[in-house]
Amino acid sequence: MTESATPAGFSAFVEETISLADRKFLVRRATETDVPQLVSLLRDDALGAGREGSGSNEAAGYQNAFGLIDSDPNQLLVAVDEVTDSSEVTDSADSAAEPRADGQSQPSRTASTALVGTLQLTLIPSLSRRGSTRLQIEAVRIGPAAQGLGLGTAVFDWAHDCGRRFGASLAQLTTDKSRADAQRFYARLGYEASHEGLKLDLS
């Protein structure tokens, strides 16, 4: 069996920037220190408030989940930072960018960042559809500070492009039936409610 010429999953992912309404957003791989803020974003709506924990007892579960996600090359947990101040955000090829422990770039120390969004991408190889790979998009949140700019649409455009680059030919997602606004948003992006999603609680 020969080794594949392309890296598995999202292992070659590098952070990118989105410029929108004179504001700049950094799309990067989430780190362990981001977990509390990511959970806060997930909790910040009516459904999330009911299903996400807020006490110290749940912290270990979230950290364990992060470890599983971060160690799986087919998973990409994304953090979206707003970058402010005068410094420019550069990609990992720019020598002015400061390296992180994972080898990716980060904004220079003169910039300040605030985590304003998150989503999780999963590459799902499948025998169906002639052996195609699917991009599953889940847990999408844009915080109040960055809403109303079109950032949600821009992040989805980025996610679709990212999925194509890593070999996906189909994007899919699920949304709660009570989220009427979300369903209209996804329809505007071109998603079709072509299947019924079913869930079974195994706890």
Side-chain angles (χ1 to χ4, degrees), residues 19-66:
S19 295
L20 193 66
D22 296 323
R23 294 164 72 172
K24 186 162 288 188
F25 300 91
L26 180 68
V27 181
R28 61 175 175 84
R29 188 185 296 271
T31 66
E32 187 173 7
T33 58
D34 294 320
V35 170
Q37 287 180 276
L38 300 180
V39 174
S40 292
L41 284 172
L42 295 177
R43 192 185 300 122
D44 192 24
D45 71 6
L47 288 175
R51 66 186 174 207
E52 304 299 337
S54 59
S56 58
N57 292 339
E58 288 84 6
Y62 288 120
Q63 292 293 342
N64 180 65
F66 173 83

Side-chain angles (χ1 to χ4, degrees), residues 83-122:
V83 184
T84 56
D85 291 343
S86 59
S87 62
E88 293 293 323
V89 179
T90 56
D91 62 30
S92 58
D94 192 320
S95 59
E98 300 180 10
R100 292 204 311 246
D102 60 7
Q104 297 187 35
S105 65
Q106 65 181 1
S108 69
R109 293 185 187 279
T110 60
S112 61
T113 62
L115 200 160
V116 297
T118 185
L119 68 158
Q120 183 174 341
L121 305 181
T122 304

Side-chain angles (χ1 to χ4, degrees), residues 111-191:
S112 61
T113 62
L115 200 160
V116 297
T118 185
L119 68 158
Q120 183 174 341
L121 305 181
T122 304
L123 293 173
I124 308 174
S126 175
L127 288 179
S128 67
R129 293 178 179 260
R130 302 180 182 180
S132 65
T133 295
R134 302 173 187 228
L135 176 71
Q136 182 79 19
I137 305 176
E138 289 292 341
V140 182
R141 295 289 190 278
I142 302 296
Q147 291 177 6
L149 304 173
L151 183 58
T153 298
V155 165
F156 264 89
D157 288 343
W158 169 85
H160 297 155
D161 184 59
C162 181
R164 291 186 195 97
R165 294 198 310 270
F166 287 98
S169 58
L170 176 73
Q172 61 186 32
L173 54 80
T174 63
T175 186
D176 193 279
K177 288 185 176 181
S178 67
R179 296 187 188 275
D181 289 344
Q183 291 163 35
R184 285 190 289 269
F185 171 71
Y186 296 137
R188 288 197 299 271
L189 294 178
Y191 284 85

